Amino acid sequence: MSKSDSKKLRHFFHIAYQGKNYNGWQKQQDNFSLQQVLEESLSQVLKTPIAIVGCGRTDAKVNASQFFFHADLAKPADENLLFRLNRILPADIAVFDIIPMENLPHCRFDAIQRQYDYFIHTYKDPFLSDFSSLYLGLEIDFQQLKRATDLLIQYEDYRCFCTSPDKNEHTICRVSAAKWLVSENGNQLRFQISSNRFLGKMIRILVGQLLKVGKGLLSVDAFESYLINKETPKILSPAHPQGLYLSKVTYPYLDLAPKTDFLGLQKVSNDWKLIE
Protein backbone atom coordinates (compact mmCIF):
# COMPACT_ATOMS: atom_id res chain seq x y z
CA MET A 1 0.00 0.00 0.00
CA SER A 2 1.37 3.42 -0.97
CA LYS A 3 1.79 6.25 1.52
CA SER A 4 -1.08 8.18 -0.09
CA ASP A 5 -3.37 5.14 0.03
CA SER A 6 -2.69 4.65 3.72
CA LYS A 7 -4.23 8.08 4.42
CA LYS A 8 -7.54 7.20 2.74
CA LEU A 9 -10.50 6.37 4.93
CA ARG A 10 -12.68 4.09 2.84
CA HIS A 11 -16.41 3.97 3.58
CA PHE A 12 -19.15 1.74 2.20
CA PHE A 13 -22.49 3.49 1.65
CA HIS A 14 -25.57 1.25 1.94
CA ILE A 15 -28.34 2.69 -0.25
CA ALA A 16 -31.51 1.95 -2.23
CA TYR A 17 -33.05 3.73 -5.21
CA GLN A 18 -35.85 3.83 -7.73
CA GLY A 19 -34.35 3.78 -11.18
CA LYS A 20 -37.20 5.15 -13.31
CA ASN A 21 -35.75 8.69 -13.52
CA TYR A 22 -32.17 7.68 -14.32
CA ASN A 23 -30.20 6.38 -17.25
CA GLY A 24 -28.66 3.65 -15.10
CA TRP A 25 -26.01 3.73 -12.38
CA GLN A 26 -22.90 4.48 -14.44
CA LYS A 27 -21.95 8.12 -14.98
CA GLN A 28 -22.11 9.02 -18.68
CA GLN A 29 -21.66 12.19 -20.64
CA ASP A 30 -24.98 13.92 -21.40
CA ASN A 31 -26.99 11.29 -19.47
CA PHE A 32 -28.56 11.60 -16.03
CA SER A 33 -27.17 8.82 -13.83
CA LEU A 34 -27.37 7.76 -10.21
CA GLN A 35 -23.60 7.92 -9.82
CA GLN A 36 -23.61 11.53 -10.99
CA VAL A 37 -26.33 12.56 -8.52
CA LEU A 38 -24.61 10.84 -5.59
CA GLU A 39 -21.15 12.19 -6.41
CA GLU A 40 -22.49 15.73 -6.75
CA SER A 41 -24.50 15.48 -3.53
CA LEU A 42 -21.62 14.01 -1.51
CA SER A 43 -19.20 16.60 -2.90
CA GLN A 44 -21.65 19.38 -2.01
CA VAL A 45 -22.02 18.19 1.58
CA LEU A 46 -18.28 17.65 2.12
CA LYS A 47 -17.28 20.74 0.12
CA THR A 48 -14.65 18.79 -1.83
CA PRO A 49 -14.78 16.67 -5.00
CA ILE A 50 -15.65 13.04 -4.16
CA ALA A 51 -15.48 10.11 -6.58
CA ILE A 52 -17.48 6.97 -5.84
CA VAL A 53 -17.42 3.35 -7.08
CA GLY A 54 -20.62 1.31 -7.28
CA CYS A 55 -21.07 -2.40 -6.58
CA GLY A 56 -22.57 -2.89 -10.05
CA ARG A 57 -23.92 -1.15 -13.12
CA THR A 58 -27.70 -1.32 -13.21
CA ASP A 59 -29.38 -0.36 -16.49
CA ALA A 60 -31.72 2.56 -17.11
CA LYS A 61 -34.94 2.34 -15.06
CA VAL A 62 -33.68 -0.68 -13.07
CA ASN A 63 -34.20 -0.41 -9.30
CA ALA A 64 -32.12 -1.41 -6.30
CA SER A 65 -33.53 -2.25 -2.90
CA GLN A 66 -29.94 -2.83 -1.77
CA PHE A 67 -26.85 -1.27 -3.34
CA PHE A 68 -23.41 -0.31 -2.09
CA PHE A 69 -20.86 2.20 -3.27
CA HIS A 70 -17.55 3.15 -1.72
CA ALA A 71 -15.83 6.49 -1.31
CA ASP A 72 -12.58 7.60 0.28
CA LEU A 73 -13.07 10.41 2.80
CA ALA A 74 -10.66 12.70 4.61
CA LYS A 75 -12.12 11.85 8.01
CA PRO A 76 -14.50 9.28 9.51
CA ALA A 77 -18.15 9.77 8.65
CA ASP A 78 -20.68 10.50 11.37
CA GLU A 79 -24.48 10.63 11.75
CA ASN A 80 -24.42 14.25 10.65
CA LEU A 81 -23.09 13.25 7.22
CA LEU A 82 -25.84 10.64 6.85
CA PHE A 83 -28.49 13.21 7.79
CA ARG A 84 -27.16 15.99 5.53
CA LEU A 85 -26.70 13.66 2.56
CA ASN A 86 -30.24 12.29 2.80
CA ARG A 87 -31.61 15.80 3.17
CA ILE A 88 -30.28 16.97 -0.22
CA LEU A 89 -30.72 13.74 -2.17
CA PRO A 90 -33.92 13.35 -4.22
CA ALA A 91 -36.73 11.27 -2.74
CA ASP A 92 -35.96 8.30 -5.00
CA ILE A 93 -32.50 7.72 -3.44
CA ALA A 94 -31.99 6.80 0.23
CA VAL A 95 -28.78 6.26 2.19
CA PHE A 96 -29.27 3.83 5.09
CA ASP A 97 -25.77 3.35 6.48
CA ILE A 98 -22.27 4.76 6.08
CA ILE A 99 -19.81 2.10 7.17
CA PRO A 100 -16.09 2.78 7.80
CA MET A 101 -13.97 -0.04 6.41
CA GLU A 102 -10.50 -1.24 7.31
CA ASN A 103 -7.85 -1.02 4.59
CA LEU A 104 -9.22 -0.49 1.07
CA PRO A 105 -11.88 -3.13 0.25
CA HIS A 106 -13.62 -2.79 -3.12
CA CYS A 107 -17.42 -2.74 -3.16
CA ARG A 108 -17.62 -4.14 -6.69
CA PHE A 109 -14.79 -6.66 -6.93
CA ASP A 110 -15.16 -8.01 -3.40
CA ALA A 111 -18.84 -8.93 -3.68
CA ILE A 112 -19.27 -12.72 -3.57
CA GLN A 113 -23.00 -12.88 -4.34
CA ARG A 114 -25.67 -10.69 -5.87
CA GLN A 115 -29.38 -11.39 -5.82
CA TYR A 116 -31.92 -9.90 -8.22
CA ASP A 117 -35.72 -10.02 -8.14
CA TYR A 118 -37.89 -9.43 -11.20
CA PHE A 119 -41.58 -8.58 -10.78
CA ILE A 120 -44.38 -9.09 -13.31
CA HIS A 121 -48.05 -8.16 -13.07
CA THR A 122 -50.66 -9.38 -15.55
CA TYR A 123 -53.29 -6.66 -15.12
CA LYS A 124 -53.08 -2.90 -15.63
CA ASP A 125 -52.38 -1.14 -12.34
CA PRO A 126 -51.20 2.50 -12.24
CA PHE A 127 -49.56 1.94 -8.85
CA LEU A 128 -47.37 -0.89 -10.15
CA SER A 129 -46.47 0.46 -13.60
CA ASP A 130 -43.18 2.07 -12.54
CA PHE A 131 -42.01 -0.79 -10.31
CA SER A 132 -43.21 -4.00 -11.98
CA SER A 133 -43.45 -5.07 -15.63
CA LEU A 134 -46.87 -5.39 -17.22
CA TYR A 135 -47.58 -8.48 -19.34
CA LEU A 136 -51.31 -8.34 -20.02
CA GLY A 137 -53.15 -11.65 -20.00
CA LEU A 138 -49.96 -13.66 -19.54
CA GLU A 139 -50.67 -17.40 -19.57
CA ILE A 140 -47.79 -19.55 -18.36
CA ASP A 141 -47.15 -23.28 -18.22
CA PHE A 142 -45.49 -23.34 -14.80
CA GLN A 143 -44.11 -26.85 -15.25
CA GLN A 144 -42.17 -25.92 -18.40
CA LEU A 145 -41.09 -22.62 -16.85
CA LYS A 146 -39.64 -24.44 -13.86
CA ARG A 147 -37.90 -27.06 -16.02
CA ALA A 148 -36.07 -24.35 -17.94
CA THR A 149 -35.28 -22.33 -14.81
CA ASP A 150 -33.79 -25.38 -13.05
CA LEU A 151 -31.21 -25.62 -15.84
CA LEU A 152 -29.58 -22.34 -14.85
CA ILE A 153 -27.67 -23.74 -11.88
CA GLN A 154 -26.25 -26.52 -14.10
CA TYR A 155 -24.31 -24.18 -16.41
CA GLU A 156 -21.68 -21.51 -15.84
CA ASP A 157 -21.05 -19.89 -19.23
CA TYR A 158 -23.75 -17.32 -20.00
CA ARG A 159 -22.26 -15.92 -23.18
CA CYS A 160 -25.52 -16.70 -25.01
CA PHE A 161 -27.56 -14.40 -22.75
CA CYS A 162 -25.46 -11.24 -22.96
CA THR A 163 -25.80 -8.29 -25.34
CA SER A 164 -22.03 -7.69 -25.68
CA PRO A 165 -20.16 -10.81 -24.52
CA ASP A 166 -16.85 -9.81 -26.10
CA LYS A 167 -16.65 -6.71 -23.90
CA ASN A 168 -16.24 -8.96 -20.85
CA GLU A 169 -13.01 -10.59 -19.69
CA HIS A 170 -15.06 -13.78 -19.49
CA THR A 171 -18.72 -14.82 -19.43
CA ILE A 172 -18.66 -17.28 -16.51
CA CYS A 173 -21.40 -16.69 -13.93
CA ARG A 174 -21.88 -19.13 -11.07
CA VAL A 175 -25.64 -19.12 -10.55
CA SER A 176 -26.35 -20.54 -7.10
CA ALA A 177 -30.16 -20.22 -7.06
CA ALA A 178 -32.99 -19.47 -9.49
CA LYS A 179 -36.71 -19.77 -8.86
CA TRP A 180 -40.13 -18.39 -9.73
CA LEU A 181 -42.87 -17.44 -7.29
CA VAL A 182 -46.52 -16.63 -7.95
CA SER A 183 -48.84 -14.43 -5.90
CA GLU A 184 -51.76 -15.91 -4.03
CA ASN A 185 -54.23 -14.45 -6.55
CA GLY A 186 -52.13 -15.60 -9.51
CA ASN A 187 -51.86 -12.10 -10.99
CA GLN A 188 -48.19 -11.49 -10.16
CA LEU A 189 -44.99 -13.41 -10.85
CA ARG A 190 -41.58 -12.98 -9.26
CA PHE A 191 -38.29 -14.35 -10.58
CA GLN A 192 -35.38 -14.53 -8.14
CA ILE A 193 -31.80 -15.35 -9.10
CA SER A 194 -28.46 -15.31 -7.25
CA SER A 195 -24.95 -15.48 -8.69
CA ASN A 196 -21.44 -14.28 -8.01
CA ARG A 197 -21.75 -11.94 -11.02
CA PHE A 198 -24.04 -11.05 -13.91
CA LEU A 199 -23.44 -9.88 -17.47
CA GLY A 200 -24.96 -6.88 -19.22
CA LYS A 201 -28.77 -7.24 -19.48
CA MET A 202 -28.34 -10.94 -18.63
CA ILE A 203 -31.27 -11.15 -16.21
CA ARG A 204 -33.69 -9.27 -18.45
CA ILE A 205 -32.67 -11.50 -21.38
CA LEU A 206 -33.10 -14.61 -19.22
CA VAL A 207 -36.56 -13.51 -18.10
CA GLY A 208 -37.54 -12.83 -21.72
CA GLN A 209 -36.40 -16.29 -22.84
CA LEU A 210 -37.98 -18.06 -19.85
CA LEU A 211 -41.31 -16.34 -20.52
CA LYS A 212 -41.12 -17.67 -24.09
CA VAL A 213 -40.73 -21.17 -22.64
CA GLY A 214 -43.65 -20.63 -20.29
CA LYS A 215 -45.84 -19.36 -23.14
CA GLY A 216 -44.96 -22.35 -25.35
CA LEU A 217 -43.00 -20.25 -27.87
CA LEU A 218 -39.67 -21.93 -27.04
CA SER A 219 -39.04 -25.51 -25.96
CA VAL A 220 -36.99 -26.38 -22.89
CA ASP A 221 -34.57 -28.29 -25.14
CA ALA A 222 -34.10 -25.24 -27.38
CA PHE A 223 -33.51 -23.06 -24.31
CA GLU A 224 -30.88 -25.50 -23.02
CA SER A 225 -29.21 -25.66 -26.43
CA TYR A 226 -28.28 -21.96 -26.10
CA LEU A 227 -26.45 -22.75 -22.86
CA ILE A 228 -24.78 -25.84 -24.29
CA ASN A 229 -23.65 -24.29 -27.58
CA LYS A 230 -23.07 -20.77 -26.20
CA GLU A 231 -24.99 -19.38 -29.16
CA THR A 232 -26.97 -16.17 -28.75
CA PRO A 233 -30.65 -16.41 -29.75
CA LYS A 234 -31.45 -14.53 -32.97
CA ILE A 235 -34.05 -12.49 -31.06
CA LEU A 236 -33.10 -11.74 -27.46
CA SER A 237 -36.28 -9.84 -26.41
CA PRO A 238 -35.08 -8.57 -22.98
CA ALA A 239 -37.84 -8.14 -20.41
CA HIS A 240 -38.83 -4.58 -19.46
CA PRO A 241 -36.34 -2.83 -17.12
CA GLN A 242 -38.68 -1.45 -14.46
CA GLY A 243 -39.51 -4.88 -13.04
CA LEU A 244 -35.88 -5.60 -12.12
CA TYR A 245 -34.38 -5.04 -8.65
CA LEU A 246 -30.89 -5.59 -7.34
CA SER A 247 -32.11 -6.88 -3.99
CA LYS A 248 -29.08 -8.22 -2.07
CA VAL A 249 -25.30 -7.82 -2.22
CA THR A 250 -23.10 -9.99 0.00
CA TYR A 251 -19.44 -9.63 0.95
CA PRO A 252 -17.22 -12.01 2.91
CA TYR A 253 -16.91 -9.29 5.55
CA LEU A 254 -20.34 -7.59 5.25
CA ASP A 255 -23.80 -9.15 5.04
CA LEU A 256 -26.59 -6.67 5.76
CA ALA A 257 -30.32 -7.25 5.44
CA PRO A 258 -32.05 -4.90 2.96
CA LYS A 259 -33.91 -2.07 4.67
CA THR A 260 -36.72 -1.76 2.13
CA ASP A 261 -39.28 -4.23 0.80
CA PHE A 262 -39.50 -3.54 -2.93
CA LEU A 263 -41.55 -0.38 -2.39
CA GLY A 264 -44.49 -2.33 -1.06
CA LEU A 265 -44.71 -4.74 -3.98
CA GLN A 266 -44.68 -7.69 -1.63
CA LYS A 267 -47.60 -6.21 0.28
CA VAL A 268 -49.69 -5.99 -2.88
CA SER A 269 -50.03 -9.75 -3.10
CA ASN A 270 -49.24 -10.56 0.56
CA ASP A 271 -48.18 -14.17 0.00
CA TRP A 272 -45.81 -15.59 -2.60
CA LYS A 273 -45.89 -19.29 -3.38
CA LEU A 274 -42.90 -21.10 -4.84
CA ILE A 275 -43.56 -22.65 -8.26
CA GLU A 276 -42.64 -26.32 -7.80
Side-chain angles (χ1 to χ4, degrees):
M1 184 182 295
S2 69
K3 192 171 183 179
S4 60
D5 284 344
S6 65
K7 296 178 181 179
K8 294 179 180 178
L9 298 173
R10 181 149 296 179
H11 293 70
F12 274 31
F13 289 68
H14 177 205
I15 72 170
Y17 56 79
Q18 297 177 16
K20 66 174 183 174
N21 294 321
Y22 303 93
N23 196 51
W25 165 264
Q26 193 75 5
K27 186 165 61 175
Q28 307 168 48
Q29 188 174 1
D30 301 324
N31 279 318
F32 191 53
S33 70
L34 287 142
Q35 183 181 15
Q36 173 191 339
V37 171
L38 282 157
E39 283 188 344
E40 290 176 354
S41 299
L42 195 53
S43 298
Q44 179 182 335
V45 169
L46 295 176
K47 296 181 172 55
T48 187
I50 299 292
I52 66 176
V53 177
C55 66
R57 299 178 180 179
T58 54
D59 295 333
K61 297 186 178 181
V62 172
N63 310 289
S65 53
Q66 183 172 79
F67 192 94
F68 292 91
F69 70 82
H70 74 241
D72 296 329
L73 309 182
K75 60 181 182 179
D78 55 22
E79 287 295 323
N80 185 48
L81 175 59
L82 182 67
F83 172 79
R84 292 169 64 199
L85 186 56
N86 273 315
R87 187 174 61 180
I88 67 169
L89 282 169
D92 52 13
I93 305 175
V95 180
F96 301 126
D97 304 289
I98 305 176
I99 308 162
M101 307 297 293
E102 293 185 4
N103 302 316
L104 295 174
H106 199 286
C107 71
R108 181 182 176 192
F109 298 140
D110 288 359
I112 56 174
Q113 181 172 277
R114 295 168 172 86
Q115 175 182 295
Y116 279 84
D117 283 76
Y118 189 91
F119 288 90
I120 292 171
H121 59 292
T122 60
Y123 58 96
K124 191 173 182 180
D125 186 329
F127 296 102
L128 289 178
S129 59
D130 287 330
F131 312 116
S132 175
S133 292
L134 174 62
Y135 286 85
L136 275 173
L138 185 66
E139 295 184 5
I140 292 291
D141 183 330
F142 288 157
Q143 183 178 9
Q144 297 303 306
L145 181 68
K146 184 180 186 304
R147 282 185 60 206
T149 302
D150 287 346
L151 293 170
L152 299 180
I153 61 174
Q154 300 178 32
Y155 293 90
E156 291 190 342
D157 196 330
Y158 279 83
R159 180 181 180 84
C160 59
F161 296 134
C162 176
T163 51
S164 304
D166 292 332
K167 290 184 178 180
N168 297 277
E169 183 179 343
H170 63 84
T171 52
I172 301 300
C173 301
R174 295 181 176 87
V175 176
S176 54
K179 60 185 178 182
W180 284 87
L181 301 98
V182 61
S183 63
E184 187 175 24
N185 59 17
N187 290 328
Q188 290 179 267
L189 289 172
R190 176 180 172 187
F191 176 61
Q192 190 174 86
I193 185 169
S194 300
S195 178
N196 66 319
R197 68 192 290 265
F198 292 94
L199 307 172
K201 292 186 173 64
M202 171 179 158
I203 300 169
R204 290 170 55 201
I205 292 170
L206 272 175
V207 171
Q209 295 298 313
L210 288 169
L211 289 178
K212 286 182 179 180
V213 173
K215 291 187 290 186
L217 303 176
L218 180 69
S219 70
V220 174
D221 288 343
F223 177 83
E224 186 173 18
S225 72
Y226 296 139
L227 291 163
I228 293 171
N229 300 320
K230 304 176 183 61
E231 293 180 359
T232 303
K234 291 181 179 179
I235 301 177
L236 288 176
S237 304
H240 310 313
Q242 65 269 27
L244 183 59
Y245 290 75
L246 174 56
S247 52
K248 186 81 169 68
V249 184
T250 305
Y251 299 90
Y253 44 76
L254 186 64
D255 186 3
L256 298 181
K259 291 193 175 181
T260 186
D261 63 350
F262 307 105
L263 310 172
L265 279 176
Q266 289 175 302
K267 296 175 183 176
V268 172
S269 56
N270 291 318
D271 293 315
W272 293 96
K273 183 176 69 173
L274 181 65
I275 294 176
E276 297 179 307

